[in-house]
Amino acid sequence: MSRLLVRLLALWRKEALALLRDPHALAALFVMPAVFILIMSFALRDAFDPAALKPRSVLVQQDESPAARALVAAMRRSVSGFDEAREVSLADARRAVGRGDAAFAVVLQAGVGTAILGPEPGAAAAKVQILVDPAVAVVAQQAMRQQVAAVLGQVQASEMSRRVQALMGVPLPVPMDSVALPLMQRADGRSLKPSAVQQSVPAWLIFGLFFVVIPLAPVFIAERQFGTLLRLRAMGASPALLIAGKLPPFVLLNLLQACLMFAVGASLVPALGGEALQLPGAGGLAALALVSVSVSAAAIGWAFLVASIARTSEQATVIGGVGNILMAAIGGVMVPRFIMPAAMQPLTQVSPMAWALDAFHAVLLRDAPLADLALPMLALLGFGAACLILAAWALQRSRATA
């Protein structure tokens, strides 16, 4: 066995013993992201379920004319959340909307069928009214109004075409029915249904990987304060050897975190009633491992930088924790990027957590080849290398000024 390998084994053993001496920090690395995955997978479930987002509507039909019935049929086909709208009286509709039991009540006043065909001269035109729960989002209110107006226009245009055809013998255009799209599929033909767990597992896994700063920084700071690093250097250990002696144990720790979090998404979340995480095939699993190693390199580099800047373990905890929370908030970990305003979404790319999230989503959602993962993985490795260089510079500077 070469001398270099013996030294590395000794350094890896030292790091493993130092990690095992702080079981609370180790437990936090596994428990915290697992709890977040469980909570957010259920909290965001409705945001990924179109059926749950449909507004509840009721119908007040005061006109039974053929034109009015045609209008109702068209709305049941085309207006979101109206396909199962119950028919109630006007008084019941007002109570339902007032209590929040229904988001909208569509009222077809008596004579609305005649108004569609063209109001009689001198007669007050009947209306289609929409009663709205004020607690419903303004965007949903506007969407409901636009959908009802569009259906009303379609019915009127259809009736005008029918009249022209009857008067002039012009053939009617071929009706165009909307085509229901099938369930989304991957390029390989497998079914895919985006779910909250596919957002939560990689997002909170990344968050947990970056919290490797909690066990790494105190050990590093203690070695610096007690002169352990100076003694190792005096024994001939180069800076590269010292870094090589620290990286593998923490990379292995991060990979164990990744395995556990994917197992939570694939097994524990569905056991509690949520959606199961869909894992890729064998090739995809290798890509997931490579992405996990890239994220781990970025997280460990960031942890070394924090440890080299902080003077005490308490400072490292604060700097690392606040930095991680800010990167998570900007990078789409805490709030999915598609929920953010359009003007804010490009800003997510300043966070390495956003690069990591893009890489994980590329594997989990699109079975992306390695060539497509090269850019985010190189960015993560570059971020980790830059942090290590800055950490070495900070340490060298602190020694020079000591």
Side-chain angles (χ1 to χ4, degrees), residues 30-31 34 37 255-265:
F30 290 92
V31 174
I37 286 172
L255 290 179
L256 289 176
Q257 281 182 280
C259 292
L260 180 62
M261 296 312 118
F262 285 126
V264 167

Side-chain angles (χ1 to χ4, degrees), residues 123-401:
K127 298 179 181 177
V128 176
Q129 285 186 324
I130 304 176
L131 307 181
V132 181
D133 178 0
V136 174
V138 174
V139 174
Q141 296 179 25
Q142 294 173 342
M144 184 67 175
R145 186 182 303 112
Q146 292 171 357
Q147 290 180 81
V148 172
V151 171
L152 189 58
Q154 291 173 3
V155 172
Q156 288 178 318
S158 176
E159 180 59 26
M160 291 178 62
S161 298
R162 190 188 65 78
R163 287 188 174 190
V164 170
Q165 190 271 340
L167 290 175
M168 307 181 65
V170 177
L172 291 173
V174 177
M176 297 179 61
D177 293 330
S178 60
V179 179
L181 295 175
L183 189 68
M184 284 188 289
Q185 294 182 331
R186 298 174 192 255
D188 59 5
R190 286 192 292 158
S191 296
L192 171 65
K193 183 182 179 183
S195 62
V197 72
Q198 287 177 305
Q199 161 69 25
S200 299
V201 171
W204 294 106
L205 166 62
I206 295 165
F207 191 67
L209 294 181
F210 270 78
F211 264 90
V212 74
V213 67
I214 299 300
L216 188 151
V219 172
F220 189 84
I221 291 172
E223 290 179 343
R224 190 179 62 198
Q225 291 176 338
F226 293 114
T228 306
L229 292 177
L230 286 177
R231 289 196 292 274
L232 289 172
R233 290 293 305 275
M235 293 169 64
S238 65
L241 180 64
L242 292 178
I243 293 176
K246 287 184 175 296
L247 287 180
F250 288 100
V251 171
L252 180 60
L253 177 64
N254 281 161
L255 290 179
L256 289 176
Q257 281 182 280
C259 292
L260 180 62
M261 296 312 118
F262 285 126
V264 167
S267 301
L268 185 56
V269 173
L272 296 176
E275 298 272 354
L277 177 69
Q278 299 180 42
L279 292 172
L285 291 178
L288 278 182
L290 290 175
V291 173
S292 299
V293 171
S294 302
V295 180
S296 176
I300 293 173
W302 163 249
F304 270 113
L305 178 58
V306 171
S308 63
I309 295 173
R311 294 182 179 276
T312 64
S313 298
E314 290 76 13
Q315 285 184 359
T317 302
V318 172
I319 296 173
V322 172
N324 287 346
I325 292 172
L326 289 176
M327 286 191 286
I330 297 172
V333 169
M334 295 183 171
V335 179
R337 189 182 307 165
F338 70 88
I339 295 179
M340 298 179 181
M344 188 176 178
Q345 292 181 12
L347 297 179
T348 60
Q349 293 302 317
V350 303
S351 169
M353 291 192 185
W355 314 337
L357 196 55
D358 289 342
F360 275 124
H361 281 166
V363 179
L364 292 172
L365 299 178
R366 296 193 296 273
D367 276 344
L370 286 177
D372 292 349
L373 301 173
L375 183 59
M377 287 197 299
L378 287 175
L380 289 166
L381 293 173
F383 175 81
C387 288
L388 286 176
I389 293 172
L390 288 175
W393 174 79
L395 285 175
Q396 194 68 30
R397 188 169 180 270
S398 64
R399 286 176 190 169
T401 56

